[in-house]
Amino acid sequence: MNKEKDGGLHASIMIQQIIRNAICIFLCLLSLIPFWIMIVNATRTSVAIQSSFSMIPSTHFMENWNNLLKQAATQASLWRYMGNSLLIAVSSTVLSVYFSTMTAYGVTAYKFKGANFAWAFIMAIMMIPVQVSSIGFFRFMYAIGWGNNYLPLIIPAIAAPATVFFMRQYMISALPLEILDSARIDGSGEFRTFNTIAMPLMKPAVATQCIFAFIGSWNNFYTPSMLLTSQVKFTLPMFVQQMRGERFRSDHGMIYAGLAVTIMPIFIVYFILSKYIIAGVALGGVKE
Amino acid sequence: MAKSNTSKHKTVEYGRYGYYFIAPFFIVFAIFQLWPLIYTIGLAFCENYYDTMWNAEVGPYFNGLANFATIFKSTEGTYFDTYTFRALGNTLIMWFMNFAPQILLALLLAVWFTDTRVKIKAQGAYKVLVFMPNIITAATISVLFYKLFDYPNGPINQLLVNAGIWEQPYQFLATKWATRSIISFINFWMWYGNTMIVLTAGVLGISPSLFEAARVDGATSWEIFKNVTLPLLRPIMLFTLVNSAIGGLQMYDIPKLLTTSGRGDPDFTTRTITMYIRELAFTGARQMGKAGAASLVLFVVTLFFSLVLFYIMRDKDAIKEKKAIKAAQKARKGAN
């Protein structure tokens, strides 16, 4: 009798497993299908795209790709936009992660008057989005001659409260303060201690935050589209916006190819680093 | 005694380095975030626009609450029936349409992925794929969906007509609720994976002995979920809610790049507050003053949500302790 009950329980678990896996697979397909349609259409001619739906790739990718390069080049090369995005993303990532670690180190490793207040302040400003002050930001940047310039897209990355928050959480568990004392006894200066002892110990957190800072900057459309005016300075998301316009509208294959190409770099980065990205999201979310 | 003196001296001396380390953050914050915010608030009380006829900037001159009057009061004299509040309403509607299903699905998946009885072996792969849209450029996703829902020959219309579900292709992006639903769906689709991972981490943070105890007591899965998981997950869920609301209020990329004219078609029913602010400030008469006032409204609404979060997240134990200490002090005073 006991055995029978066990069997029934086992069967119900099996059924549950099948249902749950089926729903998960459906959701995974939901994530993939829009991108799959994009890739398929990037390999089809504009006429074919207009006349029928297909999930099977065709052979016209190079054609679309060459058209795209040619059409983009009438204003600025596609590589240029990619280079611009890369330059901004790399510089702001380096600044953001380095200075955020430094800030977290300052409030964690030193006891000074106002340290608690500084920390509370960083927590408080974490929730203020850039959008609410963008009018003042825009006017201020143009007033000091930084409009149509990359500096306003890079320098503000130094003050990234969310990154500081993450760094401090990690630092509390990963950086024993006794090490700093022994470095002092060995005669190491405070900044040298930070650069040669604290930074290396923070490597896992630094790596995680580098990924997030890079993706955030690479995907940013709001600020660049507000500040940048000359075509050669445009970033990749701004080029994506242009693909909706007159110049591209007629050739559907070319637009899909353009979208596919702009997504590829981040696709590749994601599938290499997905393990760390998901672990980072889980860590960042569990804020006390 | 002498020893403790020197060590005290030491900490004081090293303490100043703390200022050096945090200085760059605060300097950059003051210049690039605080000052622009003050500037925006200042502009909100000024007349400042661009006279297209004379090709010259007017202002900024202080004009009190005139900008706010145009934001709160429509030309017919009714309150809140203005473009600003309609845009705010659109934003909140589209945020809620994405958040409600998002949190429910994320919760369901979080419970499934942490279920020790019915194990899902491939959950690593599921997480990777379900989270994926979150890191793809929102601008690209919007233009992709703009193409997918194209009329009359976009892939979705082709599918629906081919399958015989609809006889005629449908003008998705010319219909208010269809466009709103697509924008909400994109937000939902990009974010439920993120929320699911956060909630999964939350469930994993609950002590396993609580689940065990409940099971030993003969609780069903539903009872365990309702009486153990859900109450303990509440702080994280509220955090997700507020975070999502604040992010949702700033919604810009998706409606901007999905709608046909980029101005929240049809008839401005999908225009969000940030889109409206930028339209005011950077198109036509460039009404920076009015845009500043609208920004201030957005800031106040955002601040409200942040304060709710702070209130919820406040350290209840610390407050209790403080109260206890105060009560003890009072009692001592009374005794004296």
Side-chain angles (χ1 to χ4, degrees), chain B residues 125-144:
Chain B
Y126 295 153
K127 277 182 189 166
V128 168
L129 286 172
V130 159
F131 179 76
M132 193 246 309
N134 191 257
I135 57 122
I136 308 288
T137 322
T140 309
I141 287 179
S142 318
V143 177
L144 175 60

Side-chain angles (χ1 to χ4, degrees), chain A residues 17 20-21 30-31 49-50 53 102 110 113 127 129 136 139 159 184 190 219 222 225 244 252 270, chain B residues 14 19 33 40 48 57 115 119 126 128-129 135 137 147 153 158 189 250 257 259-260 278 309:
Chain A
Q17 254 171 349
R20 291 179 187 191
N21 277 297
L30 197 65
S31 286
I49 292 168
Q50 285 280 45
F53 178 83
M102 200 164 160
Y110 297 98
K113 219 175 146 188
M127 286 296 172
R139 282 192 62 114
R184 267 175 210 144
E190 296 300 307
N219 288 345
Y222 189 86
S225 68
R244 281 191 37 181
H252 298 273
Y270 180 64
Chain B
Y14 283 119
Y19 295 114
Q33 286 174 45
T40 309
N48 182 209
E57 194 183 353
D115 193 336
K119 284 194 179 106
Y126 295 153
V128 168
L129 286 172
I135 57 122
T137 322
K147 295 301 293 173
N153 288 323
Q158 286 172 345
W189 179 74
Q250 325 302 326
L257 293 182
T259 53
T260 314
R278 283 184 56 165
L309 180 71

Side-chain angles (χ1 to χ4, degrees), chain B residues 42-281:
Chain B
L43 276 172
F45 298 94
C46 289
E47 183 177 28
N48 182 209
Y49 63 93
Y50 197 81
D51 194 324
T52 42
M53 208 157 91
W54 298 99
N55 237 6
E57 194 183 353
V58 179
Y61 307 121
F62 181 76
N63 69 346
L65 296 172
N67 291 324
F68 291 97
T70 62
I71 274 179
F72 283 96
K73 205 171 152 187
S74 72
T75 42
E76 289 96 53
T78 49
Y79 286 94
F80 296 108
D81 188 23
T82 55
Y83 280 130
T84 313
F85 281 92
R86 258 177 254 159
L88 195 61
N90 293 338
T91 317
L92 288 171
I93 288 170
M94 290 190 287
W95 166 71
F96 187 76
M97 279 167 69
N98 112 67
F99 185 74
Q102 184 195 121
I103 192 91
L104 289 177
L105 183 59
L107 199 56
L108 181 73
L109 291 178
V111 169
W112 282 0
F113 287 168
T114 51
D115 193 336
T116 47
R117 211 168 50 93
V118 185
K119 284 194 179 106
I120 296 180
K121 281 185 188 124
Q123 60 168 285
Y126 295 153
K127 277 182 189 166
V128 168
L129 286 172
V130 159
F131 179 76
M132 193 246 309
N134 191 257
I135 57 122
I136 308 288
T137 322
T140 309
I141 287 179
S142 318
V143 177
L144 175 60
F145 275 76
Y146 170 72
K147 295 301 293 173
L148 293 181
F149 284 96
D150 216 357
Y151 175 85
N153 288 323
I156 305 284
N157 267 324
Q158 286 172 345
L159 259 181
L160 289 171
V161 173
N162 281 357
I165 296 171
W166 276 328
E167 277 177 25
Q168 292 292 320
Y170 187 72
Q171 292 207 37
F172 288 98
L173 297 175
T175 318
K176 175 172 145 186
W177 285 103
T179 313
R180 281 180 176 174
S181 304
I182 294 168
I183 292 168
S184 306
F185 173 78
I186 298 174
N187 273 308
F188 158 80
W189 179 74
M190 283 181 76
W191 285 96
Y192 80 92
N194 190 306
T195 309
M196 174 269 289
I197 290 168
V198 170
L199 293 183
T200 306
V203 178
L204 289 174
I206 298 171
S207 164
S209 59
L210 287 175
F211 293 117
E212 254 164 56
R215 209 159 290 140
V216 169
D217 288 348
T220 62
S221 298
W222 171 247
E223 281 168 341
I224 293 175
F225 173 73
K226 208 179 69 177
N227 299 323
V228 181
T229 317
L230 212 51
L232 288 170
L233 220 50
R234 233 181 59 193
I236 293 179
M237 281 175 57
L238 286 167
F239 174 80
T240 313
L241 167 82
V242 173
N243 231 355
S244 165
I246 292 173
L249 277 169
Q250 325 302 326
M251 199 190 302
Y252 179 81
D253 298 9
I254 297 168
K256 172 81 189 165
L257 293 182
L258 183 89
T259 53
T260 314
S261 71
R263 297 183 63 192
D265 303 277
D267 206 16
F268 308 121
T269 51
T270 58
R271 178 161 70 181
T272 63
I273 181 80
T274 45
M275 284 165 79
Y276 181 57
I277 289 171
R278 283 184 56 165
E279 255 176 61
L280 281 175

